[in-house]
Amino acid sequence: YPPATGVADSFAAACSSPSAAPAIGWALAGVEGASYERDLLDRLETLRGMAYLDADAGRDVIQSMKPLVGRDGSLPHSLDPWRPGVLETSVFVEGTCRFALLREDKKYLRSVYPVLRRAANFLMGVSVGGDVSLDPAVPQGWRRRIGKGYPTGEVPEVSLSVAGCLTTVATAAARIGKAQDSARFRERSVVIANSVRKRLLDDRGYLALNLERGE
């Protein structure tokens, strides 16, 4: 059950698997120190567990993100703050929505919905027709980890992240009575998922690493 305060004081975990047990401690430490994580994307990824482990820390992370959302609704790219981060924005919106939904806190969801809606509208703007447009000047998706590789087209995991995000924000919008927003977010999510299925699979039927423009 989601505790009300910090991980260290209110949550204990154990596992019978010797190989998995050390990972639990590492994961809990990562969540507890999320607000001090320098990498923006890694900090946002911890929101997935915050609702279960540390609600106060989750709210702190979400609050720290709100001033970073630009006028266009985007969060900055984790490797270049002057460029929009499609993946960062997607993870922020989905993580915040899941946090509020799992906490069953409609009041909190209503308070953060304006910034979530603005960010979701940014994702709508970069996914017209189901084609998620990415900035080719910075590494996208998994390429961040190697610090190079600049696809000129789409990266499937980013497209799928956007699709999943829009599904989640559609659920959140419906929960607080924003039916029109919910419908258009959900519709775009389906369009993106279908686009990935049709265009971003290789000859074997697996997700392609990226799709070059013009191919």
Side-chain angles (χ1 to χ4, degrees):
Y1 183 79
T5 55
V7 174
D9 296 331
S10 61
F11 188 86
C15 180
S16 59
S17 170
S19 60
I24 293 176
W26 176 85
L28 292 179
V31 170
E32 192 170 32
S35 60
Y36 305 103
E37 174 57 55
R38 295 180 62 184
D39 184 274
L40 178 63
L41 189 57
D42 285 349
R43 197 185 322 157
L44 289 168
E45 289 283 6
T46 63
L47 285 174
R48 298 173 184 272
M50 290 289 192
Y52 297 101
L53 303 177
D54 194 340
D56 290 341
R59 292 189 185 94
D60 288 345
V61 170
I62 293 167
Q63 185 62 32
S64 72
M65 292 297 108
K66 290 167 67 175
L68 300 181
V69 178
R71 288 186 177 181
D72 66 348
S74 70
L75 278 170
H77 192 284
S78 58
L79 299 181
D80 186 342
W82 301 107
R83 299 182 183 277
V86 173
L87 186 57
E88 285 81 2
T89 307
S90 173
V91 173
F92 165 66
V93 173
E94 181 171 18
T96 302
C97 288
R98 287 189 180 278
F99 177 89
L101 290 169
L102 286 168
R103 300 295 306 180
E104 298 184 349
D105 191 340
K106 286 186 179 181
K107 182 178 180 180
Y108 182 72
L109 180 56
R110 288 191 182 95
S111 73
V112 296
Y113 185 74
V115 72
L116 296 177
R117 185 179 187 275
R118 182 151 49 100
N121 281 335
F122 163 76
L123 297 174
M124 294 283 283
V126 299
S127 62
V128 176
D131 180 350
V132 178
S133 301
L134 300 174
D135 187 343
V138 285
Q140 303 285 355
W142 61 266
R143 288 169 175 77
R144 296 161 188 265
R145 290 303 181 187
I146 58 176
K148 59 182 179 180
Y150 306 94
T152 57
E154 288 188 69
V155 178
E157 77 254 26
V158 178
S159 297
L160 292 174
S161 177
V162 172
C165 162
L166 292 176
T167 295
T168 305
V169 74
T171 300
R175 192 67 57 87
I176 58 173
K178 305 291 184 179
Q180 187 173 358
D181 283 351
S182 179
R184 66 190 185 89
F185 292 147
R186 192 173 301 279
E187 180 181 17
R188 180 61 57 82
S189 173
V190 172
V191 170
I192 296 171
N194 287 337
S195 180
V196 169
R197 188 179 299 111
K198 292 177 181 177
R199 300 185 303 104
L200 300 182
L201 300 181
D202 62 21
D203 294 337
R204 302 168 298 169
Y206 297 127
L207 287 174
L209 293 180
N210 69 276
L211 178 71
E212 297 297 324
R213 298 292 185 195
E215 288 189 356

